[in-house]
């Protein structure tokens, strides 16, 4: 049976391989008036609805498919061709949210394996519960950041 250190190394390498493309994505530091006022395209609307359903409904009730849908929503948020946005709290927080997403995923898998029942598992159960209970707060915060970014608050004359 692999050791805990081997498992942690594998999990770390997997997380780094997933997160690396997140940091490589180019963003828009300056927008033209046309880009800032372009109509919202269908892909951005799908991103908005998908992420609201995943973070507002599915994650709080414990649906595991929420993990896959989050990645899909993240890709949609970066691939729309309509209205563009300057760097914002919504974009920064999206990258930060991968930490609790991956933590919850790996903790859930670990707990399903029922290993180390008397040593590590009791602590993993507690951490899994804390991260899971934080999901509604994290999701609603991200939705608020998204709405503020979408409406253009905290930019220009709206400071």
């Amino acid at each position: 049976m692999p050791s805990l250190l081997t498992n942690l190394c594998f999990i770390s390498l997997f997380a780094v391989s997933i997160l690396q493309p997140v940091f490589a994505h180019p963003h828009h530091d300056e927008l033209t008036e046309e880009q800032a006022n372009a109509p919202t395209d269908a892909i951005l609307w799908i991103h908005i609805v998908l992420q609201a359903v995943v973070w507002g409904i599915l994650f709080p009730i414990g649906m595991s498919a929420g993990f896959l849908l989050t990645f899909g929503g993240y890709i949609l948020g970066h691939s729309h061709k309509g209205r563009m946005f300057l760097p914002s709290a919504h974009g920064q927080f999206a990258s930060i949210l991968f930490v609790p997403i991956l933590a919850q995923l790996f903790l859930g898998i670990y707990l399903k394996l029922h290993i180390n029942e008397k040593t590590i598992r009791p602590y993993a159960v507690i951490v899994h519960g804390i991260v899971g209970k934080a999901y509604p707060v994290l999701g609603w915060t991200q939705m608020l950041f998204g709405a503020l970014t979408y409406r253009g608050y905290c930019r220009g004359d709206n400071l």
Side-chain angles (χ1 to χ4, degrees):
M1 186 170 241
S3 71
L4 179 61
L5 183 59
T6 305
N7 289 339
L8 288 175
C9 289
F10 174 72
I11 290 169
S12 299
L13 287 172
F14 180 73
V16 168
S17 69
I18 287 177
L19 291 177
Q20 198 241 342
V22 172
F23 297 117
H25 177 77
H27 286 93
H28 318 284
D29 291 330
E30 294 182 21
L31 298 178
T32 65
E33 190 67 29
E34 181 182 355
Q35 289 173 323
N37 295 316
T40 305
D41 65 351
I43 293 175
L44 184 57
W45 279 116
I46 293 169
H47 163 79
I48 292 168
V49 170
L50 179 63
Q51 293 300 78
V53 168
V54 168
W55 284 89
I57 299 170
L58 295 181
F59 276 144
I61 61 173
M63 187 171 177
S64 298
F67 291 110
L68 296 174
L69 293 172
T70 293
F71 291 116
Y74 186 83
I75 291 167
L76 289 173
H78 283 85
S79 54
H80 66 90
K81 302 294 183 213
R83 184 174 174 188
M84 298 293 169
F85 302 93
L86 292 168
S88 65
H90 181 69
Q92 293 293 321
F93 200 56
S95 296
I96 293 168
L97 284 175
F98 277 103
V99 173
I101 289 170
L102 292 173
Q104 194 72 339
L105 178 64
F106 290 127
L107 283 167
I109 292 169
Y110 173 78
L111 291 173
K112 283 288 185 190
L113 296 174
H114 291 278
I115 55 176
N116 303 318
E117 293 279 340
K118 303 262 191 248
T119 56
I120 299 171
R121 192 170 196 280
Y123 299 106
V125 169
I126 293 168
V127 173
H128 188 66
I130 291 169
V131 174
K133 288 173 182 77
Y135 266 51
V137 175
L138 296 171
W140 298 330
T141 301
Q142 179 65 340
M143 286 185 256
L144 175 63
F145 287 159
L148 293 173
T149 299
Y150 182 77
R151 297 295 298 159
Y153 294 125
C154 303
R155 300 242 183 259
D157 295 336
N158 293 317
L159 288 176

